[in-house]
Amino acid sequence: MRLSARVDYALRAAAELAASGSGPTTVGELAKEQEMPPKYLENILLQMRRAGLVRGQRGPEGGYVLARPASEITLADVIRAVDGPLANVRGERPEHVGYRGAARSLQQVWIALRASERAILEEVTLDQIASDALPERVMELAADPAAWD
């Protein structure tokens, strides 16, 4: 699985918003805390706002807040907001890509891969990331030494 810088920044910014509570956080504060370029982050936050994940607040006390409780926003929600579907092949959903001959089984592999990604990314919420309380299943998978190779 390859995550873009855009997704990495979006997830890190979302985790910071989850940790900050209900008060707005400025782009500058988010960028400084996570060492990200502010202009790039601003564009990412606009995408997240369009997806209904964050709300912008104007004024001297303005900034961004999560649009829903952090416990209701999964990592998959953030990834889809900034990067589209979780798994695709040449820009297509796996179920829309067909193969012939000896490669016919690849479609099933891509669909299984997407299901595996969903099993983790749709389970982990921003609240769990911000509070360092990952689901047991995620902790077990990450504890396997083979996962680090």
Side-chain angles (χ1 to χ4, degrees):
M1 175 176 189
R2 182 173 290 174
L3 295 175
S4 66
R6 177 178 291 280
V7 166
D8 181 53
Y9 289 175
L11 290 168
R12 290 164 48 199
E16 284 295 330
L17 291 174
S20 71
S22 59
T25 306
T26 67
V27 173
E29 291 167 335
L30 291 171
K32 182 178 180 186
E33 185 64 33
Q34 288 295 319
E35 298 179 343
M36 297 183 278
K39 284 290 187 194
Y40 192 57
L41 180 58
E42 180 75 46
N43 290 329
I44 292 168
L45 289 166
L46 289 174
Q47 283 184 287
M48 292 173 65
R49 187 178 62 143
R50 283 187 213 113
L53 298 179
V54 300
R55 284 192 329 260
Q57 229 174 324
R58 296 188 186 273
E61 300 295 317
Y64 285 91
V65 295
L66 294 176
R68 301 191 316 256
S71 61
E72 295 177 13
I73 301 174
T74 67
L75 301 186
D77 294 330
V78 176
I79 293 168
R80 286 183 184 115
V82 299
D83 230 17
L86 292 181
N88 65 56
V89 180
R90 300 185 319 264
E92 297 287 330
R93 296 175 58 92
E95 61 272 20
H96 297 145
V97 178
Y99 297 97
R100 299 173 5 165
R104 186 175 25 245
S105 297
L106 281 175
Q107 182 185 45
Q108 299 302 313
V109 173
W110 303 149
I111 290 171
L113 176 63
R114 180 179 60 189
S116 285
E117 287 179 352
R118 283 180 176 169
I120 299 295
L121 297 174
E122 290 179 348
E123 180 181 359
V124 180
T125 66
L126 294 179
D127 181 52
Q128 292 168 322
I129 295 292
S131 63
D132 197 21
L134 295 174
E136 188 65 32
R137 183 167 155 224
V138 173
M139 295 299 294
E140 288 171 6
L141 288 168
D144 180 356
W148 293 81
D149 290 336

